[in-house]
Amino acid sequence: MHPRQRIQQFLPLLTPELQRAAGFTLTHSHDVMTLSMRAYAQNAGVKPATLHRLAQRLGYEGWSALKNDFIASMTVSAESPTSRASRLVELNDTARLYDDMFAAHTRNMARCHDENRAAMGETIALMDNAEHVYICGFRASFPIAWSVYYVYRLFYKHVSLIDGFASNDEMFTRDIGPGDVLVIIGFAPYSRESLLVLEAARSVQATIIALTDSATSPLAVGATKSLWFPTDGPSFFPSVVAGMGVAESLLQRWLTATERRP
């Protein structure tokens, strides 16, 4: 059972204090995987001991076990490209593959909806406070990065796309400063270029927003805020549909917030 489902199942049986911690966890489950128990408890407005009791009430040995279960539920598939290709050849059923593809897209989008709701607003606030926004995504992540850049640039001129054309990464990374935001997009296998850009942004203490596939992703580790999208699917190639969905949702929330400002 997914830890979110476990929390929802036990929620009516919890004490008011544990219900408060459980409700916060349902809306900030991504932070469970990236923050220490003490930092997470401070954000939730409860004591660390409350989180430990919550985990035990849910049937875990302690908070670390609950955290590991969340990480395991979001870890990308370990299936190798070779085994994935072999499985597709053995299947040899195009009609079933067609249905499986759309079923996978639906599941991935539903998981994005559950995991990113709270983080969306916080991500927009970080982008609004930036002196300059840099957007980065290489290889299969490039379409997502381009989509974010294209719409964002229509309304906000202080934005740059780090596209990697002619190995131009250094032209952008040398300009990133502590008041800037890097929106970095990527999923396994993570490109060398994205990791170099990430390290450059970290070295100057820029704010980092990661759109990635796992809480254990190297892009998420050390990021100020992360938005998560699964890439699971029956195809040989990872699916980017959920990534595009997260990007479009982020842009729409940002535009709506912009329109409401005086």
Side-chain angles (χ1 to χ4, degrees):
M1 180 185 298
H2 192 284
R4 289 180 58 86
Q5 294 174 313
R6 189 184 294 269
I7 293 173
Q8 291 167 341
Q9 177 181 331
F10 278 84
L11 192 60
L13 308 176
L14 302 175
T15 65
E17 183 182 23
L18 292 182
Q19 283 185 344
R20 183 151 60 101
F24 186 85
T25 300
L26 286 174
T27 56
H28 296 78
S29 54
H30 195 282
D31 289 342
V32 173
M33 300 170 286
T34 57
L35 297 179
S36 68
M37 183 171 72
R38 185 176 297 277
Y40 189 82
Q42 183 177 3
N43 290 349
V46 299
K47 297 179 180 179
T50 300
L51 298 181
H52 184 72
R53 291 199 304 273
L54 172 63
Q56 291 184 323
R57 187 67 182 85
L58 296 174
Y60 296 95
E61 184 176 346
W63 182 254
S64 294
L66 173 59
K67 180 175 183 174
N68 290 337
D69 198 14
F70 266 109
I71 292 174
S73 71
M74 294 189 183
T75 301
V76 295
S77 171
E79 185 179 24
S80 68
T82 301
S83 60
R84 185 188 292 260
S86 299
R87 176 174 52 78
L88 290 171
V89 171
E90 291 173 0
L91 178 61
N92 194 27
D93 185 343
T94 54
R96 178 182 167 185
L97 181 59
Y98 179 85
D99 292 336
D100 287 350
M101 284 291 294
F102 279 90
H105 296 335
T106 301
R107 289 193 303 271
N108 290 347
M109 290 297 294
R111 291 164 69 186
C112 281
H113 176 270
D114 292 339
E115 297 298 335
N116 295 309
R117 182 186 295 275
M120 280 284 180
E122 297 165 358
T123 301
I124 291 168
L126 292 174
M127 295 172 73
D128 279 345
N129 292 326
E131 295 178 7
H132 197 93
V133 174
Y134 293 87
I135 299 170
C136 172
F138 298 105
R139 304 181 190 178
S141 302
F142 182 77
I144 305 174
W146 170 255
S147 178
V148 175
Y149 169 74
Y150 176 78
V151 175
Y152 203 80
R153 183 62 180 81
L154 292 175
F155 301 91
Y156 187 73
K157 65 179 182 179
H158 300 295
V159 59
S160 299
L161 176 68
I162 305 177
D163 50 35
F165 292 163
S167 300
N168 64 356
D169 308 352
E170 188 179 352
M171 290 176 56
F172 296 99
T173 55
R174 68 187 179 191
D175 292 333
I176 297 177
D180 299 329
V181 166
L182 170 68
V183 179
I184 188 162
I185 305 161
F187 51 86
Y190 310 99
S191 69
R192 176 178 174 274
E193 298 92 337
S194 64
L195 297 178
L196 290 174
V197 172
L198 179 65
E199 183 57 34
R202 283 177 176 166
S203 68
V204 296
Q205 298 183 328
T207 298
I208 298 169
I209 297 170
L211 274 66
T212 189
D213 58 342
S214 168
T216 58
S217 157
L219 306 187
V221 176
T224 308
K225 185 60 60 177
S226 296
L227 298 175
W228 178 78
F229 62 91
T231 60
D232 302 334
S235 170
F236 175 77
F237 300 102
S239 171
V240 299
V241 171
M244 290 296 297
V246 170
E248 290 189 16
S249 297
L250 176 64
L251 289 166
Q252 185 55 51
R253 286 282 299 273
W254 174 74
L255 286 171
T256 302
T258 301
E259 291 171 358
R260 290 175 179 173
R261 295 190 191 95

